[in-house]
Amino acid sequence: MNKNQAEEFLKEIHQQHILQYFDELGDDSKEALLSQIENTDFSVIDIKKDNSPSKAGTIEPLGAMKLEEINQNKEKYREIGLNAIRQSKVGAVLLAGGQGTRLGFDKPKGMFNIGVNVELPIFKRLILNLMEVVDEAGCYVPLFIMTSEKNHDDTVSFFKENDFFGYDKEYVRFFVQDMSPSVDYNGKVYMEAKDRISLSPNGNGGWYSSLMNNEETSDALKKFGIEWLNVFAVDNVLQRMADPVFVGATIDSGCVSGAKVVKKANPDEKVGAMCKKDGHPYIIEYYEMSDELKAQKDESGEPAYNYGVILNYLFRTDELQKIVDLEFPVHVVEKKIPYMNESGEYIKPEEPNGYKFEGLILDMIMMLKDCLVFEVEREREFAPVKNKEGVDSVVSARELLRKNGVEI
Ligand code: UTP
């Protein structure tokens, strides 16, 4: 793409300001900016469009497999799960491409030290959890770590410097997720520098396409013969990955996906709840719930939409392959976006100043035909680190780690 072509294209999409400083740039910077314009997907940045799944549709409860039932069949499920793991049919996918803006830590979130008296970076904590499965199964679980362009080098170096926290590195692969532009409240694309558009990770929904578009990771999936992928967030420090009981229960249920859930702390808790929409599994956001839905009870007298997702899903890979090329909803999310101001200074805002465009993993569930809703004990498996303090924070996560007897 040359300058004229770029000008024409940007005029069409009302983003001519991207070339504002073009003439004062050196040749390399000119070329870099033109190539960035050519390679960026601007089709997502219509802030009026928000094509997140339509709120219309028939919402119904989706029964969960509750703790009592799980405990009764635990050994059977564990055996099924361990068998699958031993045949290397199960891979783990760590979503670590986010920017953790709420935590305000400028390194990858997994490098955050959740320890107090001991050094315990979140990555180490997660690997130690996964090692428990490795010890039980007697074999390693292939682990795929999704990073973004923003944190890839730091993440990979950190794992190398720490000798993969004792995990066998032959079983670890990294892959980088795609990026998308961010805009201000008027829909104008933010610039990061005179020769660079501000790009940010395109949400956790793009994990499967990014995994498959990367030759090394897609080959590894084939080489290991992986049939199930357990996908989870970096920021739950009590996260249990490739949990044999969860894997076994999902396989035994015949469902093509599974979601770990916890009983909601209260009907207004800000977590998405599992339900059915128009016959498909669906995650209804807390703000989408009417008072009527909140009040509805199931046959045992419990609230009918009582199970919140904790970003720990299991997917059958052949089913993911069927939906990977479909158009995914794009969510418009208000965030703090670092940018270059009128005077050319780089600003890191304290408050949200625009929108990012993200695909979300929860939309994948909706595209599948069924999902096993699998209850886990909140106190044992859910300690998210989203904020510095308050709800879902470093402080609450440390407290939960202590309660679980983890040395921190
Ligand atoms: P969050 O939705 O909490 O986003 O991510 P975030 O970017 O980490 O944090 P905030 O909202 O800016 O404070 C949930 C999980 O999805 C991953 C995160 O790394 C985390 O494990 N994620 C999120 C990605 O891998 N890529 C993304 O583009 C966004």
Side-chain angles (χ1 to χ4, degrees):
M1 181 178 268
N2 61 31
K3 185 188 171 196
N4 286 345
Q5 289 165 324
E7 266 172 345
E8 213 166 292
F9 168 66
L10 293 175
K11 197 167 164 207
E12 258 169 49
I13 60 167
H14 311 292
Q15 304 289 348
Q16 298 98 304
H17 66 286
I18 292 177
L19 290 176
Q20 189 179 346
Y21 300 100
F22 191 80
D23 292 334
E24 57 182 83
L25 299 175
D27 286 349
D28 287 353
S29 295
K30 280 183 176 157
E31 206 174 302
L33 181 55
L34 290 174
S35 133
Q36 206 188 15
I37 295 169
E38 188 168 6
N39 292 313
T40 297
D41 178 9
F42 291 96
S43 67
V44 293
I45 62 168
D46 185 351
I47 50 177
K48 289 182 233 84
K49 189 162 106 190
D50 188 353
N51 80 351
S52 47
S54 134
K55 309 290 178 262
T58 310
I59 300 288
E60 291 169 282
L62 173 58
M65 182 182 270
K66 298 186 188 165
L67 288 174
E68 202 187 341
E69 185 184 348
I70 296 168
N71 285 332
Q72 277 164 7
N73 297 301
K74 208 169 193 160
E75 289 321 308
K76 175 176 113 180
Y77 294 151
R78 191 193 305 282
E79 265 324 294
I80 299 174
L82 285 173
N83 266 336
I85 291 167
R86 288 182 185 127
Q87 291 169 50
S88 77
K89 287 184 180 169
V90 183
V93 181
L94 167 54
L95 300 177
Q99 289 180 293
T101 51
R102 283 169 287 174
L103 184 61
F105 177 61
D106 63 2
K107 293 272 171 206
K109 217 187 223 185
M111 287 174 65
F112 186 83
N113 181 19
I114 197 67
V116 179
N117 301 315
V118 295
E119 240 345 86
L120 186 58
I122 293 179
F123 281 137
K124 176 173 180 184
R125 169 75 199 138
L126 295 178
I127 294 291
L128 292 179
N129 277 355
L130 190 54
M131 281 302 280
E132 286 181 21
V133 178
V134 170
D135 290 342
E136 195 180 358
C139 66
Y140 278 88
V141 176
L143 173 63
F144 302 89
I145 302 176
M146 181 166 90
T147 62
S148 82
E149 272 170 31
K150 302 249 175 203
N151 67 16
H152 182 78
D153 293 346
D154 280 342
T155 304
V156 175
S157 313
F158 193 61
F159 270 85
K160 286 187 177 156
E161 278 157 26
N162 287 285
D163 202 17
F164 291 72
F165 307 102
Y167 212 76
D168 184 340
K169 62 176 185 303
E170 296 305 315
Y171 288 83
V172 182
R173 305 275 189 290
F174 296 91
F175 65 104
V176 183
Q177 73 174 102
D178 295 329
M179 306 285 275
S180 52
S182 332
V183 300
D184 67 15
Y185 290 124
N186 298 314
K188 294 286 173 213
V189 167
Y190 271 121
M191 297 298 286
E192 205 168 71
K194 292 180 177 173
D195 62 350
R196 217 166 44 247
I197 297 167
S198 165
L199 297 178
S200 52
N202 66 349
N204 57 30
W207 70 272
Y208 188 68
S209 56
S210 302
L211 179 79
M212 295 312 284
N213 288 337
N214 178 307
E215 209 174 308
E216 201 195 340
T217 46
S218 65
D219 282 355
L221 281 186
K222 280 186 222 119
K223 190 187 111 206
F224 287 117
I226 287 172
E227 293 178 8
W228 292 90
L229 284 170
N230 179 209
V231 187
F232 55 92
V234 68
D235 49 19
N236 173 7
V237 293
L238 286 177
Q239 190 81 265
R240 307 207 71 81
M241 298 78 74
D243 170 358
V245 181
F246 176 42
V247 173
T250 309
I251 294 176
D252 191 60
S253 71
C255 287
V256 300
S257 68
K260 281 197 171 187
V261 295
V262 293
K263 210 177 256 187
K264 283 180 77 164
N266 58 65
D268 293 317
E269 191 189 5
K270 293 181 175 169
V271 293
M274 283 298 310
C275 64
K276 250 199 287 188
K277 185 160 109 173
D278 297 334
H280 279 262
Y282 182 67
I283 291 150
I284 184 164
E285 292 291 359
Y286 61 94
Y287 50 80
E288 289 179 69
M289 294 259 285
S290 61
D291 289 342
E292 199 187 319
L293 288 183
K294 280 185 199 162
Q296 210 173 311
K297 301 272 189 284
D298 68 13
E299 63 283 357
S300 59
E302 263 192 26
Y305 302 94
N306 207 19
Y307 291 95
V309 287
I310 60 170
L311 218 171
N312 187 321
Y313 300 106
L314 187 67
F315 294 101
R316 221 171 77 186
T317 48
D318 56 346
E319 295 292 319
L320 289 175
Q321 203 50 44
K322 289 183 196 161
I323 61 166
V324 65
D325 291 328
L326 301 181
E327 193 185 340
F328 276 72
V330 176
H331 297 254
V332 181
V333 193
E334 199 177 3
K335 293 248 180 175
K336 296 180 220 166
I337 302 153
Y339 67 104
M340 181 190 68
N341 70 9
E342 295 284 299
S343 337
E345 296 154 337
Y346 185 67
I347 307 286
K348 276 188 166 180
E350 295 291 326
E351 296 300 326
N353 60 333
Y355 301 109
K356 290 185 179 176
F357 301 89
E358 299 192 338
L360 300 183
I361 186 167
L362 49 82
D363 289 327
M364 287 180 128
I365 293 282
M366 196 182 65
M367 295 163 119
L368 297 170
K369 67 173 192 278
D370 49 27
C371 177
L372 176 73
V373 184
F374 183 90
E375 185 187 5
V376 297
E377 272 177 74
R378 184 184 193 103
E379 298 267 298
R380 289 197 58 237
E381 296 206 23
F382 191 41
V385 181
K386 299 286 182 194
N387 306 298
K388 277 194 191 114
E389 46 199 36
V391 180
D392 297 344
S393 67
V394 175
V395 179
S396 58
R398 283 185 174 146
E399 212 173 290
L400 282 161
L401 284 171
R402 281 196 197 97
K403 273 194 187 159
N404 279 276
V406 178
E407 198 197 345
I408 61 167

